[in-house]
Amino acid sequence: MNDIEACLAGIAKLNERILAQSEAERRKHIRDRSVSVAVPDLSAVFDMRLTVDGLVGITHRPADTPAPRAQVRITVSSGDLVELAEDRLDAAGALLTRRLRVDASVGDLMRMRRML
């Protein structure tokens, strides 16, 4: 189990991966979306926006604190979040083995797959 800071560092690494794409690619695949990442083993949720400028407005809150429903909702353990960020865990494999759960529209899923 990792802590909040390790998860924030992992989210920052994912953001770097997004920003490594050309601006033209980001504009092609990214639509402005609210995103929440629930980390059950920490009882925490990370809220942010996905924009062509990357992940912005990243905050965290206790899981039992209510918030508006995000357009893209991700559930993952803290360890798996860090492994995904460090590219040690394949997102498709994590989805198939239910280590990663994503609740989003089909279009959002396809766009996210292209960016990560």
Side-chain angles (χ1 to χ4, degrees), residues 1 7 9 11 16 19-20 22 25 30 37 40 42 45 48-49 63 69 71 76-78 86 94 109:
M1 178 164 84
C7 290
I11 291 168
E16 289 173 13
L19 294 174
S22 70
E25 278 296 305
I30 293 177
V37 180
L42 297 179
V45 177
M48 63 204 82
R49 289 206 70 79
R69 186 176 171 100
Q71 293 164 306
V76 64
S77 73
S78 61
E86 293 175 350
L109 286 171

Side-chain angles (χ1 to χ4, degrees), residues 4 14 34 37 43 46 51 64 66 70 84 87 103 105 110 115:
I4 298 287
L14 290 171
S34 58
V37 180
S43 296
F46 298 88
T51 72
D64 59 357
L84 284 164
D87 217 12
D103 295 312
S105 71
M110 298 305 289
M115 290 306 297

Side-chain angles (χ1 to χ4, degrees), residues 9-57:
I11 291 168
K13 284 182 184 182
L14 290 171
N15 192 39
E16 289 173 13
R17 194 177 312 159
I18 291 167
L19 294 174
Q21 302 290 326
S22 70
E23 185 175 342
E25 278 296 305
R26 292 193 315 260
R27 288 192 183 283
K28 181 177 173 183
H29 297 294
I30 293 177
R31 301 294 177 262
D32 191 302
R33 295 287 185 258
S34 58
V35 178
S36 69
V37 180
V39 183
D41 58 304
L42 297 179
S43 296
V45 177
F46 298 88
D47 297 305
M48 63 204 82
R49 289 206 70 79
L50 174 62
T51 72
V52 293
D53 295 322
L55 297 169
V56 298

Side-chain angles (χ1 to χ4, degrees), residues 80-97:
D80 288 344
L81 174 59
V82 171
E83 285 188 32
L84 284 164
E86 293 175 350
D87 217 12
R88 294 185 287 138
L89 178 63
D90 176 61
L95 280 167
L96 288 173
T97 59

